[in-house]
């Protein structure tokens, strides 16, 4: 099939690459000339595992094209996907100016029946606005071309987007026209071979489904962070609590990991937009407001722990920071907890030596002239001259470091772990002060002095060797 995708950002690129991978002819349109130039030169502007290969292979095969020519894009595809950004407006609502600009462009250039697919995350009622904008442009031309507007929200996880698109757990399609439903079913049939994953509904329900899914996941995270803070006060370990909770099949283990708060391009924006949408309809979404409040507070927890440990005197301290992206397997730093931590540390007079496997270029873009920031080539390099270690992102390479080296290099052997990567008992054994999220008392308050069954040594004397 012929498909046009407006927007060559995260959603647009993944959608275009995966649609082309299945043999469709895809044209991606974007008004950003520099981005299109880079894409045509083989330079992918975002990091997503596997995306480079998909884009290169399908460009070479002639199934995927990037252009700034709007008219060409409208003429090309029966399916016109809108995958542009919906950034939060000043009041927290979703800004639809880019979505409606695309709708007007389609209305100005279409000369035949088109199916317009809202792939962007948009508030309920956006499809009606898109249709109205298109019809207005058609009326100006005295044109009578038919069209349908469909809601087909994306459910892609950054870091696993290719897999999510190629092997979806659900394909939500909101349409009010049975003919359009069958055309969308045919489009998605290659992704639907194992069993029918397509869920059809009315347009407004589909629009709300995406917000509902993200808000639910964000709620689970904030709930666990709230519990983690309670656990610290009462001397419990939230990791034990998490396992006990997750064993209940009604709860499960997904998205119940406490940490330093959620970030990224979706959860923060969508929770605010849903609350704003509710307010616009005369309803106060108190739970959504609480979810955001808890998350904003949680992003300050690492700094609060560091500040408390040093008696609120961080002037001249150097912090080794592992992880800058809001989650692993992405370079996205939008609303990342690392940013809140770094900015608080700088304000308190501390400096930061940071490393992230993928987000270094994005950090340079966001903080080009910060004297208190040194970007290092590896996690180990951040420890040189550092007083303490903080962890903001749970990249795999941070999970099993050389703790003896960490202890040796840090002026103060202390770790502030925003993702609960390490075992507090092991840290106590190694003589490293450890502050996790919701891990009860600091490990300085308790230790185990029983025998090490492997060699009879007291556990307090245990050292991790290269051979071990």
């Amino acid at each position: 099939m012929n498909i046009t995708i407006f927007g060559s950002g995260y959603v647009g690129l993944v959608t275009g690459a995966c649609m082309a991978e299945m043999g469709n002819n895809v044209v991606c349109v974007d008004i950003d000339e520099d981005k299109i130039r880079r894409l045509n030169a083989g330079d992918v502007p975002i990091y997503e595992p596997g995306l480079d290969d998909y884009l290169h292979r399908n460009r070479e095969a002639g199934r995927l094209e990037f252009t700034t020519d709007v008219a060409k894009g409208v003429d090309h595809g029966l399916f016109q996907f809108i995958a542009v950004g919906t950034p939060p407006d000043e009041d927290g609502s979703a800004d639809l100016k880019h979505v409606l600009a695309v709708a007007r462009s389609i209305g100005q250039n279409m000369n035949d029946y088109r199916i317009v697919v809202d792939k962007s995350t948009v508030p309920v009622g956006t499809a009606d606005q898109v249709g109205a904008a298109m019809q207005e442009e058609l009326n100006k031309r005295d044109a009578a071309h038919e069209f349908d507007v469909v809601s087909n929200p994306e459910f892609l996880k950054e870091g696993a987007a290719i897999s999510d698109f190629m092997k979806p757990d659900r394909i939500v399609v909101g349409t009010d026209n049975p003919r359009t439903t069958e055309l969308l079913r045919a489009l998605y049939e290659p992704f639907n071979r194992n069993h029918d994953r397509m869920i059809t509904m009315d347009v407004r329900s589909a629009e709300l489904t995406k917000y509902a899914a993200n808000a639910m996941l964000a709620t689970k995270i904030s709930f666990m962070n709230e519990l983690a803070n309670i656990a610290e006060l009462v001397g419990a370990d939230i990791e034990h609590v998490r396992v006990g909770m997750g064993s209940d099949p009604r709860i499960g283990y997904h998205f119940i990991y406490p940490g330093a708060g959620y970030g990224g391009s979706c959860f923060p924006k969508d929770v605010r937009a849903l609350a704003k949408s509710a307010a616009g309809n005369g309803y106060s979404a108190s739970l959504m407001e609480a979810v955001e409040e808890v998350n904003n507070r949680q992003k300050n927890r690492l700094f609060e722990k560091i500040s408390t440990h040093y008696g609120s005197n961080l002037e001249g301290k150097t912090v080794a920071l592992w992880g800058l992206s809001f989650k692993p397997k992405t370079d996205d730093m939008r609303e990342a907890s690392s940013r809140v931590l770094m900015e608080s540390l700088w304000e308190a007079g501390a400096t930061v030596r940071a490393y992230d496997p993928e987000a270094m270029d994005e950090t340079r873009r966001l903080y080009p002239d910060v004297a208190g920031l040194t970007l290092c080539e590896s996690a180990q390099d951040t420890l040189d001259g550092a007083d303490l270690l903080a962890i903001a992102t749970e990249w795999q390479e941070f999970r099993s470091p050389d703790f003896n080296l960490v202890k040796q290099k840090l002026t103060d052997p202390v770790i502030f772990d925003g993702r609960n990567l390490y075992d507090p008992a092991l840290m106590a054994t190694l003589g490293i002060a450890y502050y996790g999220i919701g891990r009860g008392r600091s490990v300085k308050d308790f230790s185990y002095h029983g025998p090490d069954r492997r060699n009879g040594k007291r556990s307090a004397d245990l050292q991790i060797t290269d051979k071990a």
Side-chain angles (χ1 to χ4, degrees):
M1 295 186 180
N2 291 338
I3 300 168
T4 297
I5 298 175
F6 285 92
S8 295
Y10 182 82
V11 175
L13 286 178
V14 172
T15 301
C18 292
M19 285 294 186
E21 182 73 9
M22 287 301 190
N24 298 293
N25 298 309
V26 180
V27 170
C28 291
V29 182
D30 202 294
I31 61 173
D32 187 333
E33 294 183 359
D34 181 63
K35 180 184 290 186
I36 294 300
R37 179 189 57 76
R38 290 176 59 189
L39 286 166
N40 282 324
D43 182 12
V44 182
I46 62 172
Y47 173 74
E48 177 63 35
L51 181 59
D52 285 26
D53 291 341
Y54 272 52
L55 293 176
H56 176 75
R57 180 164 58 248
N58 288 288
R59 282 186 66 251
E60 289 293 309
R63 294 189 297 266
L64 181 60
E65 180 182 351
F66 300 99
T67 183
T68 59
D69 190 338
V70 172
K72 178 179 181 179
V74 176
D75 183 63
H76 171 78
L78 167 63
F79 297 96
Q80 304 274 309
F81 280 80
I82 301 179
V84 295
T86 54
D89 213 337
E90 292 181 1
D91 62 357
S93 61
D95 187 346
L96 298 178
K97 64 183 179 184
H98 302 304
V99 171
L100 296 179
V102 172
R104 285 189 288 270
S105 295
I106 296 173
Q108 290 163 4
N109 291 279
M110 63 183 288
N111 294 304
D112 201 351
Y113 173 67
R114 290 292 180 264
I115 299 173
V116 178
V117 184
D118 281 338
K119 201 70 175 171
S120 302
T121 302
V122 293
V124 175
T126 298
D128 293 339
Q129 296 185 55
V130 168
M134 291 179 61
Q135 190 60 56
E136 182 180 346
E137 295 301 326
L138 287 170
N139 292 341
K140 291 178 182 178
R141 299 165 50 202
D142 291 325
H145 306 301
E146 290 187 33
F147 64 87
D148 284 299
V149 181
V150 176
S151 175
N152 175 218
E154 54 85 14
F155 296 95
L156 306 176
K157 299 185 295 292
E158 291 194 40
I162 296 294
S163 176
D164 287 344
F165 200 103
M166 299 298 286
K167 300 177 181 179
D169 48 23
R170 78 279 208 197
I171 302 167
V172 174
V173 173
T175 176
D176 298 323
N177 186 334
R179 174 183 64 173
T180 311
T181 301
E182 293 311 308
L183 287 169
L184 265 293
R185 191 179 299 279
L187 175 66
Y188 278 110
E189 194 274 339
F191 305 92
N192 214 21
R193 299 293 296 274
N194 183 269
H195 64 274
D196 189 7
R197 298 176 175 87
M198 188 163 160
I199 304 170
T200 59
M201 59 186 73
D202 62 278
V203 174
R204 286 181 171 244
S205 294
E207 290 173 331
L208 182 57
T209 295
K210 175 55 188 289
Y211 275 123
N214 279 355
M216 182 65 200
L217 296 175
T219 299
K220 293 182 74 172
I221 295 170
S222 280
F223 179 76
M224 286 305 296
N225 284 333
E226 194 84 302
L227 280 182
N229 295 333
I230 295 172
E232 288 186 5
L233 295 173
V234 300
D237 189 333
I238 193 61
E239 291 299 319
H240 295 162
V241 175
R242 177 183 63 79
V243 173
M245 289 173 58
S247 62
D248 186 330
R250 296 170 301 175
I251 298 173
Y253 292 103
H254 293 297
F255 278 82
I256 61 169
Y257 290 86
Y262 60 76
S265 63
C266 295
F267 288 4
K269 172 177 68 70
D270 292 352
V271 168
R272 293 185 205 117
L274 183 56
K276 188 64 180 179
S277 178
N281 285 276
Y283 181 76
S284 176
S286 301
L287 179 58
M288 294 299 93
E289 294 167 0
V291 167
E292 183 181 13
E293 179 184 350
V294 169
N295 189 60
N296 290 337
R297 185 173 63 204
Q298 197 69 15
K299 289 181 179 179
N300 290 297
R301 289 295 289 150
L302 271 183
F303 175 76
E304 291 168 357
K305 289 173 179 289
I306 295 171
S307 182
T308 299
H309 179 84
Y310 287 100
S312 299
N313 182 18
L314 296 176
E315 185 72 36
K317 294 293 183 183
T318 298
V319 179
L321 177 59
W322 290 0
L324 295 164
S325 58
F326 86 94
K327 61 179 282 190
K329 298 183 181 179
T330 181
D331 60 355
D332 193 343
M333 290 181 63
R334 283 174 286 187
E335 305 217 29
S337 57
S338 64
R339 298 179 63 178
V340 176
L341 174 60
M342 287 193 296
E343 290 166 12
S344 297
L345 289 169
W346 294 328
E347 186 176 349
T351 58
V352 176
R353 294 176 57 82
Y355 167 75
D356 186 283
E358 294 296 338
M360 303 293 269
D361 287 342
E362 179 65 3
T363 307
R364 293 185 184 96
R365 185 187 71 83
L366 291 170
Y367 302 106
D369 300 309
V370 178
L373 174 63
T374 300
L375 295 177
C376 301
E377 295 298 318
S378 67
Q380 181 175 321
D381 288 347
T382 66
L383 303 173
D384 294 335
D387 296 295
L388 62 134
L389 170 62
I391 301 171
T393 314
E394 63 275 31
W395 286 94
Q396 291 283 8
E397 66 179 84
F398 302 154
R399 291 182 180 272
S400 186
D402 183 341
F403 288 113
N404 289 330
L405 180 65
V406 171
K407 181 178 179 181
Q408 174 189 335
K409 282 185 170 272
L410 293 178
T411 303
D412 302 324
V414 55
I415 297 175
F416 298 86
D417 183 358
R419 301 299 171 184
N420 287 354
L421 298 185
Y422 309 135
D423 179 6
L426 175 61
M427 296 300 99
T429 294
L430 295 174
I432 298 175
Y434 178 76
Y435 296 88
I437 302 295
R439 307 306 298 267
R441 296 167 293 170
S442 164
V443 295
K444 294 186 297 183
D445 297 334
F446 61 88
S447 60
Y448 174 70
H449 294 292
D452 177 3
R453 293 182 180 179
R454 292 173 298 175
N455 54 22
K457 289 184 179 180
R458 290 162 60 92
S459 63
D461 300 325
L462 178 66
Q463 294 292 321
I464 294 180
T465 66
D466 290 340
K467 182 178 292 186

